[in-house]
């Protein structure tokens, strides 16, 4: 029987620079490009994230057909789907990228017990076991991790793997199921062409201004590549290789600092993956044990006001409404709303973590958990419990003209810009002129920030003292 290799596609939905595909092509007379619809993943995914994945698979299928193949789709759980496939092709070998969430590691360990599964790099540039302290322990602070991470050379464009000219044939009469039909995610077309277009535009213009503009919420100041990196429509090797090229070509120190800042954001992504790999308990509770017993408030009304963008704080509401409509949120916005939930409302960060995963196109367990624990002060940071964003000042600083607020909180857009951030500051004459009334046209603030700040500091102090005793 001719050698049959299975390319098990998971978070590498692309042909360009795909190390797993390259390994699967070696010595293969026949190749099965396989995607397993795993209920444990797909049923828990945000609707927009599920749609993004399925549309990306549709795009990949067309590319495969252009190369003389096609996508084979089976229904999970993965171990059962793989078992059924091995009944058809008992001598097959499976090639997949290595993933690092507790679910993925347990699934792959189970499959490796019974089948020939080899795992390859793809999700991160540095494996979680590759960047360690001199004593072999994992880093738990970002900056020393980053410094060690950069000690190894970065890929260059010449290292990237091209799209194959042709693919081996499929076995005869191999069955596939129909993919569910879903609408395209409007703000994030799920194609590799779109990933390349966005990345090219960012390299041409955005990356040179990233450090100075990334926190401005009223402009496209970030790459907005996160969904494409999350599901591998753009390879992380290509992202670093092309950024490294831009860095080498930059003529000014300021420009190099702008570019390096974006690269460092990608290293944050790798850092949080490493934390999840070595400390999987973070998916169940705080990284820092002293914050296990914070007296979080259980206030469903406040939680729902936050989820719906009805808190009475315009910048918070604008960000939450952006999430609901697009499935994405500006990174500065993520920090603002996370601080508001955990520090102003004193609601457990895990509620926010779950809400983000239920709505984000780019929802990633490692990055999402790391970001929420950073904001809550329960994560790897040394002493961030007192980091409490003032939502009014954050709005004024990062949306100074109130344009972002006006876009996502339309009930405020006709007011003078001076009141976009603080509509409660209008006197009665101005409010009457614009026929505007707090509580009727826009919610009253659900909490006083300065009261909330003191309450939160006391709650964190009590948790630390309880741990010490």
């Amino acid at each position: 029987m001719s050698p049959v290799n299975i390319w098990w596609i998971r978070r590498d939905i692309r042909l360009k620079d795909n190390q797993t595909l390259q390994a699967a092509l070696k010595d293969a007379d026949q190749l099965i490009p396989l995607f397993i619809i795993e209920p444990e993943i797909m049923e828990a995914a945000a609707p927009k994230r599920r749609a993004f994945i399925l549309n990306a698979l549709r795009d990949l299928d067309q590319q495969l057909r252009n190369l003389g193949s096609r996508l084979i789709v089976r229904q999970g759980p993965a171990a059962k789907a793989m078992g059924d496939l091995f009944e058809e092709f008992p001598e097959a070998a499976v090639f997949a990228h290595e993933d690092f969430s507790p679910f993925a590691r347990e699934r792959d360990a189970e499959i490796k017990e019974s089948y020939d599964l080899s795992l390859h790099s793809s999700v991160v540039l540095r494996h979680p076991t590759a960047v360690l302290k001199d004593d072999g322990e994992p880093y738990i602070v970002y900056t020393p991790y980053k410094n060690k991470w950069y000690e190894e050379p970065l890929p260059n464009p010449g290292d990237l793997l091209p799209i194959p000219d042709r693919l081996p044939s499929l076995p005869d009469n191999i069955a596939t199921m129909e993919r569910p039909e879903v609408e395209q995610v409007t703000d994030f077309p799920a194609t590799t062409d779109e990933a390349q277009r966005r990345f090219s535009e960012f390299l041409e213009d955005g990356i040179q201004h990233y450090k100075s503009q990334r926190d401005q919420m009223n402009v496209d100041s970030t790459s907005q590549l996160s969904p494409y990196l999350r599901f591998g429509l753009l390879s992380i090797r290509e992202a670093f290789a092309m950024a490294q090229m831009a860095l080498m070509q930059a003529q000014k120190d300021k420009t190099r600092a702008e570019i390096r800042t974006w690269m460092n954001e990608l290293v944050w992504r790798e850092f949080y993956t490493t934390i999840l790999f070595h400390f999987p308990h973070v998916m169940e509770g705080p990284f820092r044990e002293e914050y296990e017993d914070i007296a979080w408030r259980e206030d469903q009304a406040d939680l729902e006001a936050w989820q719906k963008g009805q808190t009475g704080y315009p910048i918070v509401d604008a960000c939450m409404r952006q999430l609901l409509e697009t499935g994405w949120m500006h990174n500065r916005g993520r920090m603002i709303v996370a601080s508001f939930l955990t520090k102003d409302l004193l609601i457990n960060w895990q509620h926010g973590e779950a809400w983000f995963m239920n709505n984000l196109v780019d929802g990633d367990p490692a990055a999402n958990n790391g970001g929420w624990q950073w904001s809550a002060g329960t994560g790897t940071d040394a002493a961030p419990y007192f980091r409490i964003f003032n939502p009014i000042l954050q709005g004024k600083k990062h949306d100074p003209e109130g344009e972002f607020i006006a876009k996502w909180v339309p009930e405020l857009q006709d007011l003078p810009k001076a009141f976009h951030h603080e509509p409660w500051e209008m006197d009665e004459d101005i409010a009457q002129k614009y026929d505007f009334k707090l509580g009727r046209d826009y919610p009253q603030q659900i909490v006083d920030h300065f009261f909330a700040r003191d309450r939160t500091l006391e709650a964190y102090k009590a948790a630390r003292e309880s741990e010490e005793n």
Side-chain angles (χ1 to χ4, degrees):
M1 181 178 291
S2 300
V4 176
N5 287 349
I6 298 169
W7 169 32
W8 183 8
I9 302 156
R10 305 187 310 188
R11 286 176 54 186
D12 58 338
I13 309 177
R14 67 177 184 279
L15 297 176
K16 183 182 179 182
D17 192 47
N18 194 313
Q19 296 162 284
T20 305
L21 173 58
Q22 182 188 49
L25 287 173
K26 187 177 180 181
D27 300 325
D29 289 339
Q30 295 182 307
L31 179 74
I32 302 174
L34 172 71
F35 185 85
I36 300 174
I37 296 179
E38 300 177 73
E40 304 94 327
I41 295 175
M42 297 296 278
E43 291 178 5
K48 286 186 172 63
R49 189 160 69 252
R50 188 183 311 118
F52 185 90
I53 295 169
L54 293 172
N55 280 308
L57 293 173
R58 181 175 294 107
D59 177 59
L60 178 64
D61 182 49
Q62 185 57 57
Q63 295 180 58
L64 290 168
R65 290 175 186 272
N66 293 340
L67 298 179
S69 185
R70 61 190 171 92
L71 183 66
I72 301 302
V73 180
R74 296 291 178 94
Q75 186 77 38
K80 181 182 184 306
M82 201 62 71
D84 293 343
L85 199 59
F86 268 82
E87 287 186 7
E88 302 172 53
F89 309 101
E91 302 302 319
V94 184
F95 299 78
H97 70 257
E98 186 173 6
D99 209 345
F100 304 109
S101 70
F103 167 81
R105 293 172 68 185
E106 182 178 342
R107 172 199 61 196
D108 291 349
E110 178 185 358
I111 290 174
K112 286 187 78 168
E113 288 181 358
S114 303
Y115 309 110
D116 183 5
L117 170 64
S118 62
L119 299 174
H120 300 265
S121 176
S122 177
V123 173
V124 292
L125 193 60
R126 313 271 194 244
H127 192 280
T129 60
V131 184
L132 302 172
K133 300 178 187 177
D134 292 341
D135 62 3
E137 292 296 310
Y139 287 98
I140 60 172
V141 177
Y142 169 74
T143 298
Y145 170 87
K146 177 192 70 175
N147 294 338
K148 183 69 173 287
W149 191 97
Y150 275 115
E151 289 182 4
E152 293 296 320
L154 290 171
N156 63 67
D159 297 326
L160 303 179
L161 303 170
I163 296 174
D165 295 326
R166 192 81 181 161
L167 291 178
S169 63
L170 283 163
D172 293 337
N173 302 318
I174 184 170
T176 185
M177 65 172 286
E178 292 294 323
R179 293 183 305 277
E181 290 292 328
V182 292
E183 293 184 2
Q184 190 68 257
V185 181
T186 305
D187 293 271
F188 296 94
T191 69
T192 52
D193 283 348
E194 177 67 12
Q196 290 293 325
R197 184 193 69 78
R198 289 182 180 222
F199 191 39
S200 295
E201 286 189 359
F202 182 65
L203 288 171
E204 183 177 339
D205 187 41
I207 198 170
Q208 294 86 355
H209 312 287
Y210 181 77
K211 181 180 180 181
S212 54
Q213 294 185 2
R214 61 177 175 158
D215 286 325
Q216 296 307 303
M217 302 181 66
N218 60 319
V219 296
D220 290 335
S221 56
T222 65
S223 69
Q224 297 190 33
L225 288 168
S226 51
Y228 302 96
L229 289 167
R230 166 73 171 93
F231 295 107
L233 280 73
L234 175 68
S235 104
I236 192 64
R237 291 206 319 165
E238 182 174 4
F240 275 112
M242 300 309 293
Q244 173 81 343
M245 179 65 69
L247 187 69
M248 294 171 63
Q249 293 173 343
Q251 301 297 311
K252 299 178 180 179
D253 288 343
K254 180 181 183 302
T255 304
R256 285 188 283 272
E258 302 274 352
I259 295 168
R260 179 69 78 178
T261 299
W262 187 72
M263 296 170 69
N264 290 344
E265 289 299 311
L266 297 182
V267 180
W268 270 108
R269 178 179 179 271
E270 306 236 329
F271 175 66
Y272 283 142
T273 299
T274 296
I275 291 296
L276 179 59
F277 179 86
H278 290 286
F279 306 98
H281 74 272
V282 297
M283 295 300 295
E284 305 298 330
F287 177 85
R288 296 168 65 86
E289 293 181 358
E290 62 265 37
Y291 294 126
E292 286 185 354
D293 296 322
I294 293 174
W296 300 111
R297 298 172 61 243
E298 293 293 336
D299 192 314
Q300 187 64 27
D302 279 1
L303 176 61
E304 290 181 3
W306 176 84
Q307 291 171 337
K308 296 174 182 177
Q310 297 288 339
T311 68
Y313 284 87
I315 194 64
V316 174
D317 294 342
C319 293
M320 295 305 295
R321 296 183 196 186
Q322 181 188 39
L323 172 63
L324 289 173
E325 183 167 327
T326 70
W328 184 83
M329 190 189 298
H330 191 288
N331 187 58
R332 171 56 56 173
R334 299 186 197 208
M335 291 190 284
I336 292 171
V337 303
S339 178
F340 187 85
L341 182 72
T342 58
K343 305 291 180 65
D344 283 74
L345 299 182
L346 197 59
I347 289 176
N348 193 329
W349 58 270
Q350 291 171 296
H351 291 302
E353 178 191 30
W355 186 252
F356 270 28
M357 287 302 292
N358 288 340
N359 287 277
L360 283 170
V361 173
D362 61 6
D364 173 82
N368 189 51
N369 179 274
W372 271 98
Q373 295 226 38
W374 182 91
S375 292
T378 61
T380 57
D381 232 341
Y385 65 90
F386 50 79
R387 184 195 295 119
I388 302 176
F389 286 177
N390 181 320
I392 302 167
L393 297 182
Q394 287 286 312
K396 289 180 176 180
K397 182 177 181 179
H398 301 300
D399 182 28
E401 298 299 316
E403 296 171 0
F404 179 80
I405 288 172
K407 178 178 180 180
W408 295 106
V409 188
E411 55 263 51
L412 302 179
Q413 64 185 6
D414 293 332
L415 301 180
K417 289 183 179 180
F419 302 111
H420 282 184
H421 297 285
E422 298 173 283
W424 52 84
E425 291 294 331
M426 281 189 296
D427 61 31
E428 187 174 341
D429 290 341
I430 296 176
Q432 286 182 354
K433 178 180 177 181
Y434 289 93
D435 189 27
F436 180 85
K437 184 177 180 180
L438 273 179
R440 182 193 69 187
D441 301 307
Y442 182 68
Q444 298 273 3
Q445 297 160 285
I446 62 174
V447 67
D448 176 77
H449 170 70
F450 297 101
F451 160 79
R453 185 180 188 281
D454 292 340
R455 177 177 65 185
T456 294
L457 291 175
E458 284 297 319
Y460 276 64
K461 178 183 177 182
R464 294 197 311 277
E465 290 176 348
S466 174
E467 175 67 19
E468 291 170 359
N469 296 331

